[in-house]
Amino acid sequence: RYDILLRMAEISASKLSDPDRAEGLMLEAVKVHGSGRAARVELLKLYRSQGRVMDAIRALESIADIEEDLDQKIEFYKSASQLAEENSDHALAVAILNQILDLDLTRFEHFASIDRILTECRDWMSQEQNYKRMLERLKNSKGMDEIIFKLYHGLGEIYRSRLDDDYMASEAFELALKIRPENPNTLE
């Protein structure tokens, strides 16, 4: 039935020039075969051709959700995040990047993207929350002292220079100093 729905969707889109019917058939195909990728990919193509960015993002997330290969899954989420950012939906872009970090906390380049997006938006409260969230992910990780140090130091800077909270800044800097006591510049 899945293949029949896909074929009908293809005919609706190409020969009958009825993208609405094609979309309905593809959505039904997704329901029929929950792990089927082809219908999701076709939906993505349709949404992109129509400039339906939010639907394209949802299609990419749907493809990522069923993808078994971690690297491929992350690439689909990354594409969804980039589309969200291009569409000026910074909160959605950050949420998707956080999904990537929940899957693999070693993908630090995605945290750097979160930090960049929130800095550009001047959303200091969200930036603080995301630093804390990343620190929480790393709390039981071995061999991550350098990263944890940088996160605490960055969190201290957020408190000091952006949120104007000297007490919390000093707490964050103290935690950074516990990790790298040889770095007294942390307290300056």
Side-chain angles (χ1 to χ4, degrees):
R1 177 153 187 231
Y2 179 75
D3 292 331
I4 293 169
L5 288 168
L6 284 178
R7 183 70 182 127
M8 289 171 59
E10 180 186 332
I11 291 168
S12 294
S14 62
K15 294 192 168 96
L16 301 177
S17 297
D18 189 354
D20 292 336
R21 174 127 173 86
E23 178 185 10
L25 290 163
M26 286 184 268
L27 288 170
E28 188 176 338
V30 168
K31 288 178 187 171
V32 167
H33 187 16
S35 62
R37 184 175 178 164
R40 287 173 169 83
V41 170
E42 291 304 315
L43 279 167
L44 174 61
K45 289 177 189 175
L46 176 69
Y47 295 147
R48 288 195 124 185
S49 72
Q50 294 178 338
R52 294 167 56 186
V53 177
M54 293 308 293
D55 288 326
I57 291 168
R58 281 192 287 279
L60 281 164
E61 287 180 300
S62 177
I63 295 167
D65 290 343
I66 63 163
E67 180 60 54
E68 293 179 12
D69 179 74
L70 182 62
D71 290 331
Q72 285 295 307
K73 181 183 285 279
I74 287 172
E75 283 303 310
F76 285 119
Y77 280 132
K78 180 180 168 186
S79 294
S81 174
Q82 289 168 341
L83 267 181
E85 188 177 0
E86 289 167 13
N87 199 43
S88 297
D89 192 337
H90 304 294
L92 180 58
V94 167
I96 295 168
L97 289 167
N98 270 309
Q99 285 181 286
I100 294 171
L101 291 167
D102 289 340
L103 291 170
D104 184 352
L105 61 85
T106 66
R107 306 285 178 126
F108 300 117
E109 69 274 18
H110 300 297
F111 182 77
S113 294
I114 290 171
D115 193 37
R116 176 189 51 76
I117 291 167
L118 295 174
T119 298
E120 289 172 2
C121 294
R122 303 176 65 87
D123 187 349
W124 312 133
M125 295 298 288
S126 292
Q127 193 174 36
E128 171 211 16
Q129 291 166 356
N130 277 279
Y131 268 75
K132 287 179 171 180
R133 186 172 179 181
M134 192 65 193
L135 283 162
E136 182 65 26
R137 285 183 187 106
L138 293 170
K139 74 178 180 186
N140 295 321
S141 299
K142 302 283 187 239
M144 298 283 187
D145 287 353
E146 184 65 25
I147 300 294
I148 294 170
F149 169 81
K150 288 179 180 179
L151 287 167
Y152 275 124
H153 192 273
L155 184 59
E157 279 301 316
I158 292 166
Y159 284 127
R160 185 187 66 75
S161 64
R162 296 168 183 160
L163 296 175
D164 218 17
D165 188 337
D166 291 336
Y167 175 77
M168 290 304 292
S170 93
E171 291 288 312
F173 288 135
E174 286 288 336
L175 289 167
L177 197 56
K178 283 182 182 177
I179 295 167
R180 282 192 33 199
E182 74 283 359
N183 193 344
N185 294 341
T186 300
L187 293 177
E188 292 178 3

